[in-house]
Amino acid sequence: MSDLNHPPIQVGDAMYQLAAELFPICRSITGDGVRATLAHIQRQIPLTTHEVASGTPVFDWTVPKEWNIRDAYIRNEAGARVVDFRQSNLHVVNYSVPVNQTMSLAELKKHLFSLPDKPDWIPYRTSYYKENWGFCLRHRDLLNLTDGNYEVVIDSSLEPGHLTYGEYLIPGQSADEVLISCHTCHPSLANDNLSGVSLAVALAQRMRALSARYSYRFLFIPGTIGAITWLALNKDKAARIKHGLVLTCVGDPGQTTYKKSRRGDADIDRATLHVLKQSGSPFAAIDFYPYGYDERQYCSPGFNLAVGCLMRSQHGEFAEYHTSADNLDLIQPAFLQDSYNKVAALIDVLEGNRYYMNQNPYCEPQLGKRGLYDVVDGEVMAMLWTLNFSDGKHSLLDIAERAGMSFERIHKSAQILAAHGLLKESGAGDSIASRPAA
Ligand code: ZN
C-alpha cells in the first residue's frame, strides 16, 4: 500500500462539511432522524439501510419502540415560547413521551434539566429505556422563569416501529474484515459523534477506491443497542472481523487517544500505537475498560473482537461533552484531517503487514553488487533490519518496532528486497532453521 498518495488536504474540509450538513437533524437511537442521516450519507457512499422491528430480541435486550418528534415547547401565560425545540433539538430529553398539559412552575421544574456551573449551555439528556419526559435548558433561562402556569407540549410519538442502521461492506481480496463502527444516535452534537460519522464516510471513500487486502465493513449504528442488534443478527459474520475500530470524538483540538481492545496486544492495538508513536505528536493510550462506546459490545467476552476505540478528547473529559457547546465551533477541519491521516496510516499498516523469509540468511547479502546501496538514500539501515529479522517469526510491524523506524520505511525496504529476490513472503511461523543450509 506504499503506492498510496498522501491524502489531499481537503479531506478535512469535506468531513467538516458533512458534519455541518448533518448537524441540524434530530437523531435518536431510532426514528426518522436516523433515516434522514443515513439517506444523506448515501449521497456519498452506497450504504445499505436495515430496519429491525421493535420487540426483536437481541441477546439480553429488546429492540425498543421507535421515537419520532415534530415539535416541543414550553409556553408562558403571555403566549411566548420560553423553551423551543425549533431553536435546539437538545431542548427535549431524547425519547420523551408525548405531553400536552398546563402546569405550575413547581410541577414543571421536576422535568427541567440545566447545568448550574455552565449557565449558557443546554445539556443533552436521554431516557431511552424508562418512559419519561423532560426539557433541557440554559440555567440562565431556568432562573428567569417566573411563577405561573405553563403550557407544556411535546409532540412526539413512541410506538412500535423499527431500529434503523446503515452498513457498507467493501469486499477485499480476503473475506477477513476490518470493522469501522460509529454511533449515529446523537442529535445536534458535533464531536460526539458527527466527527466519527464523517471520518467513517471519508475512510469508506478512500477504501472503495483501492484494491485492499481486507474487506472493510462500515457500520453506522445507534450506540449500545445498535451494536448489540448488529452482533445478535450477524453472529456468524463477527468471526470474520480481524481488526476493528470504533470512531468517536475525532474532531476536537485534544490529542489523539487510543483505547486498546480487550485483548490489549491485538494487531489493531499495535498498528495504532505504532502510527501514533511515529506521528511525533503527543497522544494517550489507555487500556480497555468495560464502559465508553460500542467497543464494550464488540469486546464483550463472548466475542472478544480485536476492536479498539479511537478518539481525540475522551468522552466526559472535555467540558463541552454532551452539551450545546459540542457544536460546529468545537470541531475543525484540521483536526478531522489529522484523525483521518492517522487512521489511514494504521490501515496501511494492517494492509501491508506480512511475514517474509530472508532468502540469503547466511551472513549479509552483498547489497552493493545489487546496486541496493544507491536505491533509496538512507534506507540501507532499514534494509539491514528487514533482512536480519525476516526469519518468518517477525512481521514487518515487529521489525519496524524493533528498529524504531516507521512501518512505511520497513515496508518499502521489504518490497525492494523482494523485488531483488532477497526476501520471499512467508506464512507466520515459517522458520529459517527449517530450511536446508545453502
Ligand atoms: Zn455521547
Side-chain angles (χ1 to χ4, degrees):
M1 303 283 287
S2 64
D3 54 343
L4 281 178
N5 294 325
H6 281 288
I9 210 87
Q10 63 267 28
V11 171
D13 289 324
M15 289 164 67
Y16 186 88
Q17 177 65 30
L18 177 60
E21 288 163 7
L22 296 174
F23 189 77
I25 300 173
C26 183
R27 278 163 292 271
S28 184
I29 53 172
T30 63
D32 290 335
V34 181
R35 292 190 187 95
T37 300
L38 297 178
H40 195 92
I41 294 171
Q42 275 173 329
R43 297 183 199 169
Q44 303 203 5
I45 53 170
L47 61 76
T48 305
T49 56
H50 298 264
E51 299 276 353
V52 183
S54 303
T56 304
V58 285
F59 296 124
D60 200 40
W61 299 58
T62 305
V63 173
K65 291 179 192 167
E66 179 178 325
W67 185 71
N68 283 293
I69 183 162
R70 288 154 293 275
D71 193 11
Y73 56 86
I74 300 171
R75 194 144 53 187
N76 65 16
E77 287 173 11
R81 287 188 178 212
V82 292
V83 178
D84 187 355
F85 174 77
R86 296 178 304 195
Q87 301 293 319
S88 167
N89 56 44
L90 300 180
H91 275 314
V92 171
V93 171
N94 205 285
Y95 252 66
S96 282
V97 296
V99 182
N100 190 344
Q101 292 178 41
T102 298
M103 63 185 71
S104 68
L105 180 60
E107 196 58 30
L108 174 60
K109 273 188 172 171
K110 295 175 193 164
H111 294 274
L112 298 183
F113 304 96
S114 67
L115 301 167
D117 53 340
K118 290 161 191 151
D120 290 317
W121 297 356
I122 307 164
Y124 162 58
R125 282 217 175 204
T126 66
S127 187
Y128 300 139
Y129 300 105
K130 183 173 171 238
E131 291 200 2
N132 206 339
W133 65 268
F135 283 86
C136 300
L137 68 166
R138 294 175 188 87
H139 193 65
R140 203 175 295 290
D141 293 339
L142 175 65
L143 296 177
N144 285 335
L145 295 179
T146 51
D147 276 335
N149 286 320
Y150 288 88
E151 183 191 358
V152 180
V153 172
I154 297 178
D155 181 11
S156 65
S157 58
L158 185 60
E159 292 162 356
H162 293 85
L163 176 152
T164 312
Y165 70 88
E167 185 169 30
Y168 179 34
L169 178 69
I170 304 173
Q173 292 151 25
S174 158
D176 288 348
E177 292 182 8
V178 176
L179 172 71
I180 302 289
S181 178
C182 60
H183 61 276
T184 51
C185 50
H186 288 36
S188 292
L189 296 170
N191 202 35
D192 181 15
N193 188 33
L194 293 175
S195 67
V197 170
S198 297
L199 177 52
V201 170
L203 291 167
Q205 288 173 324
R206 176 183 193 258
M207 297 319 295
R208 72 187 292 214
L210 302 173
S211 171
R213 169 189 185 181
Y214 290 107
S215 297
Y216 285 77
R217 186 181 298 276
F218 293 84
L219 291 181
F220 299 84
I221 50 175
T224 307
I225 189 67
I228 293 169
T229 298
W230 189 86
L231 286 164
L233 302 182
N234 297 279
K235 216 173 162 188
D236 53 324
K237 292 182 189 151
R240 295 186 207 153
I241 296 169
K242 303 302 176 196
H243 320 282
L245 273 184
V246 170
L247 302 176
T248 180
C249 301
V250 289
D252 66 276
Q255 66 181 6
T256 301
T257 303
Y258 178 65
K259 176 180 171 183
K260 294 181 212 172
S261 74
R262 181 175 180 271
R263 300 183 193 181
D265 62 349
D267 284 354
I268 186 70
D269 302 317
R270 297 188 54 221
T272 304
L273 294 174
H274 176 77
V275 165
L276 295 180
K277 265 185 264 171
Q278 289 289 327
S279 75
S281 321
F283 67 93
I286 51 179
D287 288 330
F288 176 80
Y289 57 92
Y291 193 63
Y293 293 95
D294 286 328
E295 68 279 3
R296 292 151 68 175
Q297 314 310 333
Y298 301 123
C299 295
S300 56
F303 288 103
N304 198 23
L305 297 176
V307 176
C309 178
L310 193 91
M311 310 162 261
R312 295 183 77 88
S313 294
Q314 273 197 73
H315 56 90
E317 294 190 4
F318 58 102
E320 300 87 349
Y321 174 74
H322 280 191
T323 76
S324 55
D326 180 357
N327 57 31
L328 292 167
D329 294 330
L330 179 65
I331 64 169
Q332 290 180 30
F335 306 129
L336 292 165
Q337 176 86 46
D338 181 66
S339 297
Y340 172 93
N341 292 350
K342 285 168 176 160
V343 180
L346 77 87
I347 284 175
D348 288 350
V349 174
L350 296 174
E351 286 283 320
N353 193 26
R354 284 174 164 74
Y355 290 81
Y356 285 89
M357 193 75 84
N358 185 334
Q359 301 299 299
N360 194 100
Y362 298 98
C363 301
E364 286 177 14
Q366 197 180 352
L367 296 179
K369 75 178 183 192
R370 296 175 171 86
L372 290 177
Y373 262 97
D374 314 315
V375 168
V376 191
D377 248 4
E379 289 306 308
V380 171
M381 280 307 290
M383 278 192 267
L384 292 176
W385 275 103
T386 308
L387 276 168
N388 190 291
F389 284 94
S390 286
D391 55 1
K393 294 193 179 88
H394 297 84
S395 68
L396 295 184
L397 179 57
D398 293 330
I399 300 170
E401 287 284 271
R402 185 140 176 175
M405 294 180 184
S406 74
F407 179 84
E408 203 180 350
R409 283 177 71 187
I410 296 295
H411 184 245
K412 196 187 289 171
S413 297
Q415 288 182 316
I416 294 167
L417 293 165
H420 284 80
L422 290 171
L423 286 188
K424 209 169 162 185
E425 199 181 328
S426 75
D430 288 355
S431 156
I432 290 281
S434 67
R435 297 176 61 238

